[in-house]
Amino acid sequence: MVLLRAVGAFEFDGGSPESCLKFGLRFKAMLEIRKLRKQVATDINLIVNPKEETAVNPQMKPPNDEQSNLLRQILLSGFPDRIARRIYENEIPAGEAKKYKNGYW
């Protein structure tokens, strides 16, 4: 979410090298992200409805808490193998309780 807000702030501020200095971002990386956003928007337009065109709006408002939570859920649903889960005491291998105490898989 931090990166999403940083990209949004960069675009909202005009996307200049000065805004990168202000936010502590690399200008070349932000230009690459802008190209990727346009490419994703184009691909979505081709898949969803070619007659209606969805554009990348640089003046978008930042997501509110509910939208941030939904975006987080969408992103994490695509990576179920990358989410750590707590190791409970009954799952700890014998003799390794000290090693896995308060651990995550």
Side-chain angles (χ1 to χ4, degrees):
M1 295 313 307
V2 174
L3 291 175
L4 178 65
R5 290 182 190 270
V7 170
F10 168 76
E11 292 288 352
F12 190 80
D13 202 38
S16 64
E18 292 80 24
S19 62
C20 283
L21 289 173
K22 185 168 121 179
F23 298 119
L25 304 169
R26 291 185 317 119
F27 183 65
K28 192 172 182 179
M30 291 295 109
L31 292 179
E32 187 68 26
I33 289 171
R34 181 183 286 169
K35 289 177 188 177
L36 289 171
R37 287 180 67 206
K38 288 180 182 177
Q39 182 180 357
V40 168
T42 303
D43 291 345
I44 289 173
N45 287 333
L46 290 173
I47 293 169
V48 175
N49 192 353
K51 295 177 184 173
E52 291 182 29
E53 188 164 320
T54 305
V56 176
N57 182 4
Q59 299 299 317
M60 286 176 55
K61 296 178 186 175
N64 60 27
D65 290 339
E66 181 183 0
Q67 291 168 334
S68 295
N69 192 24
L70 291 173
L71 284 170
R72 191 175 295 118
Q73 287 176 3
I74 290 169
L75 288 172
L76 291 178
S77 68
F79 300 108
D81 61 326
R82 302 289 183 183
I83 300 172
R85 70 172 184 83
R86 184 162 175 72
I87 300 174
Y88 294 101
E89 290 181 23
N90 60 351
E91 297 175 323
I92 297 175
E96 297 188 19
K98 188 174 183 179
K99 181 179 176 183
Y100 289 105
K101 184 177 180 182
N102 297 323
Y104 289 86
W105 287 119

